[in-house]
Amino acid sequence: HSLFMDGGGRLSSCGKADMWTPGLLGHGEGVTRLNAPTRLPSPLGGERAVSVSVGELHNLAITADAALWSWGWGRRGQLGHGDEQTQLLPKKIEAFAGRRVVAVSAGPGHSLAFTADGAAWSWGRGSDGRLGHGNAQFQLLPKKI
C-alpha cells in the first residue's frame, strides 16, 4: 500500500489490505483495495499532516500541532494505544499528549518516534531487541529508549 500527503496536508492512500490487515488503508470498515489515491475520510483532528511513515502493517502521521496518529493492524502493539486492537481510521496516540513529535518511522511490527526534546521512543514488537530496551518484550505504549 501507499500513503500520499498533498500540499495542504491531506492524506490519501491506495493499494491492497489483506483480510488480516483491515484498516491498513485508513478508510474504515470494508475498504480493502483502492486502485488510485483516495483521500482518507478522517481529518486528523482538523490538523494537517506534516509527515508520514508507511510500515508493512500500519501507518503513522505527524500533524501540524506535533501530535502523532496511527492506524492499521495493531496485533503487535505497534499502533501505540496500549492494546493490540486494529484501527480502521487514524487515531491519535494519547501517550504523546504534551510532547511534540518531530519524526517517526513505521517498521514491520514496531514504531519509532523522536520528540522535540531529543528523546527517542519505541513500541510494538520487541523481538530481536529491535526496540532498544534491552529485552524482547512487546511494548503496547511508547517507551523512551
Side-chain angles (χ1 to χ4, degrees), residues 51-136:
S51 181
V52 297
S53 182
V54 176
E56 179 183 4
L57 305 170
H58 71 299
N59 304 287
L60 301 170
I62 302 172
T63 50
D65 62 351
L68 183 58
W69 296 70
S70 66
W71 65 98
W73 193 61
R75 195 66 175 266
R76 297 173 180 147
Q78 69 266 28
L79 299 182
H81 300 295
D83 57 32
E84 293 185 83
Q85 297 298 309
T86 290
Q87 294 297 323
L88 301 177
L89 297 168
K91 181 178 178 180
K92 187 187 283 190
I93 300 177
E94 296 298 337
F96 286 110
R99 300 188 187 279
R100 296 187 56 77
V101 178
V102 296
V104 291
S105 181
H110 65 292
S111 299
L112 302 169
F114 294 90
T115 48
D117 61 3
W121 302 77
S122 64
W123 62 98
R125 183 179 177 196
S127 58
D128 303 318
R130 72 183 73 197
L131 297 181
H133 300 295
N135 59 46

Side-chain angles (χ1 to χ4, degrees), residues 32-50:
T32 58
R33 180 182 288 277
L34 296 168
N35 292 325
T38 305
R39 185 159 304 150
L40 270 67
S42 177
L44 300 175
E47 292 285 333
R48 64 184 180 84
V50 295

